[in-house]
Structures are given as C-alpha cells and as structure tokens.
Amino acid sequence: MELPAVSTSMALLFFYSVLLIVSFVAAQDPSFINIPASVNVTENSPIHTEVAQFGIMTADPNPKVEIVSVVPATNAFNLVYDKSLSTASITLAATLDFETQPWYTITVYVEDYNLTSVTNISANILVRVLDVNEPPQCEPQLVSPGVTVQVREDISPGTSIYVVLASDPDHNSVLQYNVSDALPSGSANRFRFLNPSPSLLNTGSFNYQKGDTKFIVSVVVEDQFGLKCTGTVHVEILPVKNTLLNFTFPVQNVTIKENIGPDIYVTKVTASSGTNLRYHLVTPSVSFWIDQGSGIIRTGMHLDVDKTPSLTYTMLLVRVYSADSSGTSGTATVNVFVLDVNDNFPVCDPPSFLVEVKETEPIGTVLTTLKCSDADITNNTLSYEIVPDGNSLDKFRLTGNNLEINDTLDYDSEEIARANFQYKASIIVTDSGVPPLSISIPIQVGVYPVNEFKPTFPGPFFFDVLENRAAHTVIGSVNGQDRDWEFNNLHYSIIGGNIPPVFYIDMKSGTIHLLGSLDFEKRISYELNIQVVDIDQDRDPDPLKQNTVNQLFTVQVQDENDNPPVCNPPFHETTIYSTLSARDPVLTVTCTDRDINSVHTFRISGGNENNRFTMNGNQLMSRNTFSYNPAGVMDPLTFDLSIQVSDGVFITSVKVIVHVVPWTTTSPTTTTPLVHVTVKGITSRNDSSSCATGIFRDYWKHWSREWRFQDK
C-alpha cells in the first residue's frame, strides 16, 4: 500500500518537535527523590534488611548508581538500583553491632550522560545503629561442661573459690551473680556471691572425712533487664593432713595496668621451705595462670577492664605442696588490682551536626542535645568546648550538653554570604584521663532569610529638571535601600502623579527618565508617587512576605528662555510737537514673554536720524533737540524708528512711526477767537490775530493734510 505523501513543512515540524523533546530531556540534571538524611537500624538486624530506599530522577536510562564510601570503612552495606522503577535500595550485607560502631555515613553517587556532558551528584546518609539489650555472656567452659575447682577442707569461710568470667556486650550494664541451686540437694546455702563481685565464696569450712566432698553449684549471671546466662561450678574438697609449708609473703597486693597480656609477668610467690615444690591456683582463672615450678603468676589473656569490669580486682588463692611429701602444703593470697588506662576516645551520636534555622531564631534555642559517652570505666568524665570560626564567634553556647544559640544568626551580611550562609564551629569533647583524649564534632548551622526590614528612601525627595530636555533624559535616581540581603534588591514603579505619562522609572535601578520634553510655562512641578517592593528577601516565595513602601517625590521644572518677547501692538504711529519735553514719553512699548523670568531690554536699532530719540526702559523719549531751521539743520518731519526688544536670547522688533510737528513759541496778541489745537506735547492757543493765523497757515500749508485741528 502506498503511503500518503507528507509535506516538507510537516516533516520539519515533527523533526524540530522531537529535537525539542530530546533537548529538554537531555538538559535535565540528575536528582535524588526522597533520599533520607538519616536512618535508624537496629543492631543485629539480619542480612538483607533494608536500610534506606529512595528515587533517582535522571534522563540517562543507564545511570551509574553506587556507594562510593562508608565512614568508618565497612562492607556491611549493599546498593541495588532498579532501572525500571528508578529507585535505589540500600540493604545490609552484614549485621551491625552498636557496641562496636554506633553510626556510619554512607555516600551515594549518581552519574549520568546527557548527550553533551557527564553530570554527577552525591548525597550522604547517616545510619544510626540502635542499641538492643543483649544477654550477658558467660565463659564457654562455665556454660558447658562446667569448671572444676579444688578446695582445701580447711578453707576459711568467705574465701573466693572461683571467679565467674562473664561480660555484657551492652555498655554500662550492671551484672548480678547468684547461686540458683546446688547438689547435693540443700547445699546451695554453702555458697554465695557478694554482688557486684563475681567471686564465688564459701560460707563455711568443709569436713573431708564426715561431709560431702563434691558439689555441683549452678550459678546465674543476670543484667538489670532480666537477661541472663548460666553455668556450673564443680567443687572438689581436698583433704588436709599437715600444713607445714609457709610463704615468704602469705598475702600480696599487686597492681598492674590493663591492656597487657597474655603471658605478662604479674608477681611471684615463694614458699619459705620445702623441696621439690609445686604451685597451683586453688581458684582457677582464665585471666591468670601460675608456673608450677617457679611460682610466677602471669596474665592468661589480654586484660581489658572496659569490656570486663570484674577484672579490676581478682583474688588468687595459691597452694604450694611438696612432691616429695604429699601431706606438706601451704596457701597464699594474691590480690591483683588492674588499673583502667585511658584508651578509649569519647563517642558522640551523631558524630557531626547539620541543621538549618531561620535567621530570626531566638537566642536560647536548643539546636541539639549532645549524647556522648566514654567506654573507659574510669576517666570518663567529659568536658565540652566550642571552637568557632570567624563568622560563628560567640554565636553558640553550651548549657550542659545542650547546644544553644547565643547570638543572632544574621543572614544579612556579605561575610556570611561568602560562607554560603553557614555558621561553622566544632565542639571539642575531652575525657578526664591522663593524657586526655578528645574528639571534634563538626557543627554546621545554615540560616535561611526572613524579610525583616522594609525598604527606605534616604532622600533627597526633590529633583530639578530644565524644561525642553530631550526624551529619555535622566533626571535623577530614587536610590531605595533595603538592609535585607541581597542588599537593595528592589523593584520600582510610579503609581501616581504621572498622568498623562511624562516620566518612566527603571524597574531595577530606580533611575527616572523623561518620556518627552517638559514645558515650564504649562506646568512647573510634578508630585510622583513612587512605590518600591523588595524582591526575594524571604524563604517564602514572593509575594507572601514582600514589603512595599510608597514615597512622594517632587520634580521641579526649571524655566528656560525658550520664548521670544511678544509686543502688542507691534506697530505704533503717533504725532508729537517738536517742543515735547524730554521728560515726557512719546509712547510706551508694551511687550510680554511666556518665560516668566525673562527681563526685556529695549533699544532703537534704526531710523533715529540725528539721534533725536532715546529709550528709557520701554518708553520712547524725545531728547527735545529737534531742528527745523531752513538755514540750518532740518530734521525730518516723520521718523521711521525700529525698536529691538531682547530677552537675552530672542529679539523682537517693533516699528514706530513718529510725526513731528514743528512749533514756535511766539504768540502775537490778537482778537481772533481762541482755537485749541491738540498735538502730543502742546496745546496752543490762537487768538483773533489774523497775522499769527496767517503765518501758521502759510508755514504749514503743505503739511496741513497731516494734522487735525480740534476746537476746544
């Protein structure tokens, strides 16, 4: 069957879609899912017990997943990775013993290939071994078939005839020793223990001829929780005929240190008389033995009083007899004291401490309670000392064995940021031995941020900007501040006073820009309501704990000289008499300027023939120096003046036409009725004198059309 044709565009779409999916998958880094920081495993748990299970997210179908290290080193853990479920499981490869090692740190490593590179991650799991009460352990020979001791019939009451060797794997267990039964029936009361001593004592003497000569004593060793072990002591009574042999020192007290042996010299016993002498221990012991010929007592095993506290004191009863005369013998007592040696370092659970708290965690908060011990039966008093680093100085304190916060764990500083927001210290735990033994517990307290502080504006709150500045001109920055780390991580916005929009603010920098030019003559100031919001200052995601602050900023628009003077009217025409006083203005040039601070200056720039006019401010003044002498200077009767009005930048011209009427001050007497003629600067009176009137008319006849007479 022929398949339908696929268009090129559809094929490319499919190709890029697949490429996008592959790129997305390949770009993922591996990660752990629900991997525990710590787990608890009961000691003596069977092999294959699951310790921890967790998921692994990876784009690689065949990632490398393994345990790369265990501290302390051990082969007690296995890791199995199920590719189909993307889960890993750590199980026991051997049983764990709390008394041997109470904790382990497992480092899990994952490596995948993501098409372009190899990516790896690792994580630590703290395994705590939980203590289980285990029964005491009696020496194997005591348990079966039982030990045999020989006792002279004349032994004194209260003499130790045997020392039960038993130990308890659990630290600090207290063992009790008891006689549970004895044969012949009813003879149990002839033996006893004085707890906590493991020495089996007789309660009275024996009679070889008339009494029982063999006893089977059942003993029970029990811890404080009721777990026990049992054994049997066979006691044989020896007859005594004559005691003729004496020891040089019938009683010896010997002190030795632990951690010696076996076969280490302890002491020597010597009979003061007799020949062919033989020595043996009346109270057999696995801890000590005696050379029959020399009487030298040596250790029978490695002596460790931390594991077997009963070894701190052992009473040895030594018998000497002559091989030449069976009836000649003697006894001596050797008290052996084994001194504890400071040979165990303190042990703390956990061996390191990591916690994360908020930066506002109150002073006095208990971070952890130290659980430390020392296996030595003496010298086990522990002391604690905090050794800080530079950032954690005085930050922590110890109250008893509680680690507490002593000072605020500040998140908001550059120094703690460089330390990855962790306060590190060590707790030195030291025992009381000589020399003392110490361990160091690393302490790492991470802090996470709390949005404590609101942003502030330090000012100034005023900006000046010249009008007519170009768009995008920077007029200033608001410079908000925030004491939360990362300092001044703020976003800015204008929420009021910007209608229509004239300004915009850079969201991150707080820099205010112009959107367009300003006009002082239209608006001289703006009140901008600027809002600042802090960003990513709390562990809770924005905006749950964000702080917002508003602040008014005033933008003052500064005037620029950007408008020319405007004169109204721009053209003047007036008429004056030549006799106009220099103190009286010809006219006033009225000009305005949109720039309110502009100052105008006025000057005559043209048409001022013979310099007959001047400016006094904005007033055109006559100098009163006109000359109309036909035989001399003849000024024009019409002046076409140009007046320049300047504001310092712009110049406006005003056109002024001034008609000057020459005038004489001679007024002959006449009876002609008075006529008032008003011309700027003079009001003349003409009487009925026809002479005067004639002269006036003849003189001005060719200008008469330019003047108007007004009868008053």
Side-chain angles (χ1 to χ4, degrees):
M1 181 178 64
E2 183 178 358
L3 296 175
V6 180
S7 68
T8 302
S9 61
M10 289 297 292
L12 287 175
L13 177 62
F14 175 79
F15 171 78
Y16 285 117
S17 299
V18 172
L19 180 61
L20 178 61
I21 294 173
V22 171
S23 300
F24 175 75
V25 173
Q28 291 181 328
D29 290 336
S31 61
F32 293 106
I33 302 174
N34 297 328
I35 186 168
S38 62
V39 295
N40 297 329
V41 178
T42 303
E43 69 170 331
N44 301 327
S45 295
I47 296 175
H48 306 307
T49 297
E50 185 175 80
V51 176
Q53 187 182 60
F54 50 90
I56 299 174
M57 179 178 290
T58 174
D60 189 345
N62 295 295
K64 181 180 180 181
V65 183
E66 62 183 358
I67 295 175
V68 294
S69 70
V70 180
V71 179
T74 181
N75 295 322
F77 302 98
N78 280 334
L79 185 146
V80 177
Y81 176 64
D82 188 336
K83 293 188 292 185
S84 63
L85 299 177
S86 296
T87 60
S89 177
I90 298 176
T91 59
L92 291 179
T95 58
L96 305 179
D97 182 24
F98 174 84
E99 287 72 30
T100 301
Q101 179 61 37
W103 59 268
Y104 297 90
T105 300
I106 300 174
T107 301
V108 180
Y109 175 84
V110 176
E111 179 180 283
D112 73 358
Y113 176 68
N114 62 8
L115 297 182
T116 60
S117 64
V118 176
T119 307
N120 61 74
I121 58 171
S122 63
N124 293 334
I125 302 176
L126 177 65
V127 180
R128 296 187 180 91
V129 182
L130 301 182
D131 189 20
V132 174
N133 187 36
E134 299 172 275
Q137 297 176 1
C138 295
E139 60 176 307
Q141 187 175 354
L142 178 67
V143 175
S144 178
V147 297
T148 301
V149 296
Q150 294 178 331
V151 178
R152 286 165 52 92
E153 64 176 322
D154 61 349
I155 189 172
S156 300
T159 301
S160 174
I161 63 175
Y162 181 73
V163 177
V164 175
L165 296 181
S167 61
D168 194 318
D170 300 306
H171 294 310
N172 302 321
S173 289
V174 178
L175 300 181
Q176 297 286 325
Y177 302 84
N178 296 288
V179 175
S180 63
D181 197 5
L183 294 175
S185 178
S187 61
N189 60 354
R190 303 195 66 174
F191 306 93
R192 67 170 181 170
F193 291 93
L194 292 178
N195 283 301
S197 172
S199 295
L200 179 63
L201 310 177
N202 66 310
T203 59
S205 60
F206 301 97
N207 190 323
Y208 185 82
Q209 288 74 25
K210 297 180 180 181
D212 296 317
T213 59
K214 291 185 178 181
F215 300 88
I216 301 175
V217 183
S218 298
V219 298
V220 178
V221 182
E222 186 175 5
D223 66 14
Q224 65 266 39
F225 301 104
L227 298 182
K228 65 186 70 175
C229 66
T230 60
T232 304
V233 179
H234 299 268
V235 180
E236 296 180 356
I237 309 302
L238 300 178
V240 177
K241 294 181 180 180
N242 295 304
T243 306
L244 301 175
L245 298 178
N246 296 316
F247 283 86
T248 304
F249 299 102
V251 178
Q252 291 190 51
N253 295 321
V254 181
T255 300
I256 60 175
K257 292 183 178 181
E258 69 166 334
N259 297 334
I260 61 173
D263 295 329
I264 301 301
Y265 176 88
V266 177
T267 189
K268 179 179 181 180
V269 294
T270 304
S272 59
S273 61
T275 59
N276 199 13
L277 300 177
R278 296 291 184 268
Y279 299 89
H280 74 275
L281 295 179
V282 177
T283 53
S285 171
V286 296
S287 302
F288 303 95
W289 63 277
I290 190 169
D291 183 82
Q292 291 186 0
S294 65
I296 295 176
I297 300 176
R298 296 179 179 274
T299 57
M301 64 178 187
H302 179 80
L303 304 182
D304 188 348
V305 297
D306 303 320
K307 292 184 177 179
T308 311
S310 61
L311 290 177
T312 55
Y313 168 70
T314 302
M315 185 179 69
L316 300 176
L317 189 62
V318 181
R319 177 176 178 266
V320 62
Y321 65 92
S322 174
D324 297 335
S325 174
S326 61
T328 303
S329 64
T331 58
T333 301
V334 178
N335 297 309
V336 181
F337 299 91
V338 181
L339 298 180
D340 183 31
V341 174
N342 192 26
D343 59 342
N344 290 288
F345 285 84
V347 176
C348 295
D349 180 25
S352 61
F353 178 69
L354 173 64
V355 71
E356 187 178 35
V357 298
K358 60 185 178 182
E359 63 172 320
T360 55
E361 198 71 38
I363 294 173
T365 298
V366 177
L367 298 175
T368 187
T369 298
L370 299 176
K371 298 178 181 178
C372 302
S373 61
D374 193 316
D376 292 307
I377 63 172
T378 61
N379 306 316
N380 54 13
T381 301
L382 302 179
S383 61
Y384 304 86
E385 178 187 6
I386 296 178
V387 179
D389 66 4
N391 290 324
S392 63
L393 183 64
D394 297 327
K395 295 297 184 181
F396 306 109
R397 69 189 181 202
L398 283 168
T399 303
N401 58 342
N402 289 335
L403 178 64
E404 300 176 350
I405 296 177
N406 187 59
D407 195 6
T408 301
L409 302 179
D410 192 13
Y411 182 93
D412 307 313
S413 74
E414 186 175 349
E415 292 77 9
I416 197 64
R418 286 197 298 264
N420 199 26
F421 304 102
Q422 288 189 340
Y423 291 89
K424 296 181 180 181
S426 297
I427 298 179
I428 306 301
V429 183
T430 306
D431 64 19
S432 54
V434 179
L437 299 178
S438 302
I439 62 169
S440 177
I441 304 174
I443 302 296
Q444 296 185 35
V445 179
V447 291
Y448 60 84
V450 174
N451 197 358
E452 301 176 86
F453 307 107
K454 288 187 176 181
T456 60
F457 290 100
F461 304 111
F462 298 89
F463 300 109
D464 292 331
V465 58
L466 290 172
E467 65 173 334
N468 300 324
R469 297 297 91 181
H472 310 299
T473 297
V474 175
I475 69 170
S477 296
V478 296
N479 297 325
Q481 295 179 357
D482 191 344
R483 289 188 291 157
D484 290 302
W485 182 268
E486 183 173 326
F487 299 139
N488 307 330
N489 189 16
L490 305 171
H491 280 185
Y492 302 89
S493 60
I494 300 175
I495 62 171
N498 194 30
I499 298 176
V502 180
F503 308 93
Y504 75 92
I505 190 169
D506 187 283
M507 182 176 66
K508 292 186 177 181
S509 69
T511 303
I512 302 176
H513 302 255
L514 288 176
L515 286 172
S517 62
L518 304 177
D519 189 348
F520 175 85
E521 287 70 36
K522 291 183 178 180
R523 186 169 179 177
I524 64 174
S525 68
Y526 296 83
E527 292 288 336
L528 300 181
N529 191 359
I530 295 181
Q531 183 177 89
V532 61
V533 181
D534 53 19
I535 303 298
D536 298 329
Q537 302 289 22
D538 199 278
R539 188 179 215 182
D540 292 336
D542 291 340
L544 296 180
K545 297 291 180 66
Q546 282 183 300
N547 287 320
T548 300
V549 174
N550 299 337
Q551 177 65 49
L552 289 177
F553 286 82
T554 300
V555 179
Q556 297 282 2
V557 182
Q558 302 299 307
D559 188 24
E560 282 190 300
N561 192 357
D562 59 343
N563 293 283
V566 176
C567 298
N568 189 18
F571 174 82
H572 294 264
E573 183 173 7
T574 188
T575 300
I576 64 172
Y577 285 104
S578 62
T579 56
L580 179 66
S581 172
R583 295 188 299 273
D584 296 330
V586 176
L587 57 81
T588 298
V589 179
T590 302
C591 299
T592 60
D593 198 320
R594 291 184 62 195
D595 300 311
I596 64 174
N597 295 318
S598 292
V599 176
H600 295 163
T601 59
F602 300 80
R603 74 180 184 88
I604 301 173
S605 61
N608 191 13
E609 295 186 30
N610 300 323
N611 197 25
R612 299 306 188 193
F613 296 92
T614 185
M615 294 299 297
N616 181 17
N618 64 335
Q619 292 181 327
L620 178 64
M621 309 295 292
S622 167
R623 297 182 184 274
N624 197 15
T625 57
F626 296 105
S627 175
Y628 294 97
N629 184 359
V633 177
M634 284 293 293
D635 287 330
L637 297 178
T638 298
F639 289 83
D640 186 356
L641 301 177
S642 293
I643 299 177
Q644 285 188 348
V645 183
S646 173
D647 62 4
V649 175
F650 298 97
I651 295 175
T652 299
S653 294
V654 176
K655 178 67 70 175
V656 177
I657 304 297
V658 180
H659 302 284
V660 181
V661 177
W663 191 253
T664 177
T665 58
T666 302
S667 300
T669 303
T670 179
T671 59
T672 302
L674 183 65
V675 178
H676 296 276
V677 179
T678 301
V679 180
K680 184 141 180 99
I682 292 179
T683 300
S684 65
R685 291 185 180 182
N686 198 357
D687 55 19
S688 59
S689 172
S690 60
C691 179
T693 303
I695 294 171
F696 177 81
R697 288 177 176 172
D698 291 340
Y699 192 82
W700 299 106
K701 62 182 179 180
H702 59 283
W703 290 305
S704 60
R705 65 181 181 273
E706 300 180 17
W707 308 105
R708 292 176 300 170
F709 292 85
Q710 298 178 357
D711 293 335
K712 298 290 184 178

